[in-house]
Amino acid sequence: MKTSLFDYHLPPARIAQTPVEPRDASRLLVLDRKTGAIEHRHFRDIGDYLHAPDILVGNDSRVIPARLAARKATGGQAEVFLLQALDDAGTTWRCLVRGRNLHAGATLTILPQKPEFTTATSPSDLPHSPHASTYAQKNPGEEHTSKITATIQTELTTGVRVVTFSQPVHTFIDTYGAMPLPPYITGYQGDGERYQTVYSRPAGSVAAPTAGLHFTPELLLALRDQGIRLQTVTLHVGLDTFRPVEVEDATEHPIHTEWAELTAPTAHAINEATLAGGRTVAIGTTAVRTLEWSAQSGTASPPAATAANHAEPDADACPWRRVTAFSGSVDLFIRPGYRFRAVDALITNFHLPRSTLLMLVSAFAGQLHPHDNDIGRQMILAAYQEAIEQEYRFYSFGDAMLII
């Protein structure tokens, strides 16, 4: 599989720099993967394509303010980007450190200034942070001192260092940290919550699961009134998710690892919806990877519905296993030819060229055509070209697709 086949040209004017308001006013391109037909709607109309007992599954991970401004002992500027907590106390972290001559033993002073938003470092520079969630929430009443230092302990790969802070990170990150935005978004100074989903809960991602940004509380309530429920999984997104594939043979691309969790109650709800004839509609590629990772240990198709199938789940298991509960690392690389086991429809944004995410949506688009592994890629690139011509907005703050 050649990576160059997943390339396309996007005019810079089509990259969204700000989100639309309200969230569900974004546009929605609907792709029928059976026929390749395309419809142009708005996201608030998504209920027209869903019906009870369909179930929505979103990623509830919350983006952490991972960027810390710093000053060297010489007075020069530096930056520390949190990647992964290495101890339970949350004082030692793997970080991306920017600044000249920052070697083992150097000490930085963390600065209290916190801009509303800053632009994230290039995704190719940022390794995965599976334990980012261990910094958790700030403890009530816990305060940091006026001076926080960061000492470099070990140099790892280029730019990456093991850093020990003078205080646990969770005691000061909310005050000192800045929210990372992708490098293609420049100058945004809006509300930080606009880069979080309305159902975000556990903190741990360094990039938003952007397909969920289109939902409003009002839209979710309207869908619930239709009989369409929302369930959530957790996958803490690393910026490596968005890293372009740099090798021509895509199978040689080293896939990233991310921490994810699908609870037993969520698995039970998904399985029950399937037994009742509903579709599992994944909100974003991170939800897809979580669901499909879970389904790899389950059965490819549900058994006949019986009274036993409707028993309440115990703490660790589901009545039958289209998806099963799990918690741990996920490193699933979905590309054309993959057989989907858990996902029936997909809500997603428009993705970067040559990315693993573009390969994933191509694989899903081609799922109904098992004898032609390339038809999904052709459908997606044709839809992207039409979206460009129709002046859709691309990437994180952009418009959405529904692939049914």
Side-chain angles (χ1 to χ4, degrees):
M1 182 185 302
K2 292 184 178 180
T3 301
S4 57
L5 294 174
F6 296 88
D7 205 356
Y8 69 93
H9 173 68
L10 182 69
R14 301 272 55 82
I15 300 175
Q17 296 299 317
T18 58
V20 298
E21 296 296 344
R23 291 171 182 254
D24 60 0
S26 56
R27 297 174 71 185
L28 178 68
L29 186 150
V30 183
L31 173 64
D32 185 332
R33 56 193 176 131
K34 183 180 293 184
T35 65
I38 291 172
E39 294 183 60
H40 301 289
R41 303 290 296 272
H42 285 88
F43 198 83
R44 59 179 173 265
D45 304 324
I46 197 165
D48 293 346
Y49 299 91
L50 305 175
H51 51 77
D54 289 348
I55 189 165
L56 293 165
V57 182
N59 179 8
D60 65 4
S61 181
R62 191 168 175 82
V63 184
I64 66 173
R67 298 193 71 170
L68 300 170
R71 183 173 57 241
K72 299 190 291 185
T74 59
Q77 294 183 343
E79 181 183 83
V80 179
F81 194 113
L82 301 168
L83 297 175
Q84 177 185 355
L86 300 178
D87 62 359
D88 292 337
T91 56
T92 301
W93 285 69
R94 186 173 66 176
C95 303
L96 182 66
V97 179
R98 288 202 157 189
R100 301 184 63 180
N101 299 319
L102 291 175
H103 305 294
T107 297
L108 303 170
T109 299
I110 304 301
L111 303 177
Q113 293 81 8
K114 179 185 176 182
E116 187 67 21
F117 265 106
T118 57
T119 300
T121 306
S122 170
S124 62
D125 296 334
L126 296 173
H128 161 61
S129 176
H131 304 297
S133 62
T134 59
Y135 92 93
Q137 305 294 328
K138 182 175 180 179
N139 294 329
E142 190 170 18
E143 299 294 337
H144 54 76
T145 62
S146 59
K147 184 176 181 180
I148 300 166
T149 60
T151 302
I152 298 174
Q153 304 294 337
T154 308
E155 299 180 46
L156 302 177
T157 57
T158 302
V160 180
R161 306 284 188 266
V162 174
V163 175
T164 298
F165 294 89
S166 57
Q167 297 180 41
V169 164
H170 68 264
T171 66
F172 63 83
I173 187 174
D174 288 337
T175 302
Y176 282 49
M179 189 75 74
L181 280 179
Y184 47 76
I185 296 176
T186 59
Y188 177 68
Q189 296 296 320
D191 182 2
E193 283 301 305
R194 198 54 184 81
Y195 194 57
Q196 308 277 13
T197 64
V198 296
Y199 49 78
S200 64
R201 289 180 294 181
S205 288
V206 295
T210 56
L213 297 180
H214 306 281
F215 284 94
T216 65
E218 295 78 10
L219 178 58
L220 289 171
L221 287 173
L223 292 172
R224 187 180 68 180
D225 290 342
Q226 272 184 244
I228 300 157
R229 292 177 294 162
L230 171 69
Q231 292 288 329
T232 58
V233 296
T234 301
L235 184 143
H236 292 318
V237 186
L239 287 185
D240 199 30
T241 293
F242 306 99
R243 179 164 60 94
V245 180
E246 298 176 348
V247 292
E248 179 61 4
D249 183 354
T251 62
E252 296 179 356
H253 175 71
I255 195 62
H256 53 281
T257 299
E258 294 163 315
W259 184 89
E261 181 176 55
L262 192 158
T263 66
T266 295
H268 178 69
I270 293 168
N271 292 335
E272 287 292 290
T274 303
L275 282 171
R279 295 172 298 172
T280 299
V281 183
I283 305 173
T285 57
T286 57
V288 171
R289 291 205 306 277
T290 306
L291 289 165
E292 291 296 323
W293 182 267
S294 169
Q296 286 187 353
S297 62
T299 56
S301 59
T306 65
N309 294 139
H310 295 273
E312 290 299 317
D314 62 29
D316 300 310
C318 301
W320 59 270
R321 305 197 308 168
R322 188 189 193 192
V323 295
T324 57
F326 80 95
S327 176
S329 296
V330 170
D331 61 354
L332 183 60
F333 186 0
I334 297 176
R335 49 189 184 268
Y338 176 86
R339 182 171 65 88
F340 288 81
R341 298 166 173 83
V343 178
D344 302 305
L346 171 60
I347 300 167
T348 186
N349 279 20
F350 294 92
H351 301 294
L352 276 70
R354 304 175 67 95
S355 64
T356 60
L357 305 187
L358 188 57
M359 294 178 186
L360 184 154
V361 296
S362 296
F364 186 73
Q367 170 76 2
L368 302 182
H369 307 272
H371 302 298
D372 186 351
N373 284 345
D374 195 45
I375 194 168
R377 180 190 68 88
Q378 295 175 25
M379 280 188 193
I380 291 296
L381 291 182
Y384 274 41
Q385 185 57 42
E386 182 160 340
I388 292 170
E389 294 170 359
Q390 295 293 323
E391 299 187 346
Y392 276 67
R393 305 164 78 249
F394 276 58
Y395 302 163
S396 295
F397 279 154
D399 296 316
M401 287 185 69
L402 170 63
I403 306 175
I404 55 177

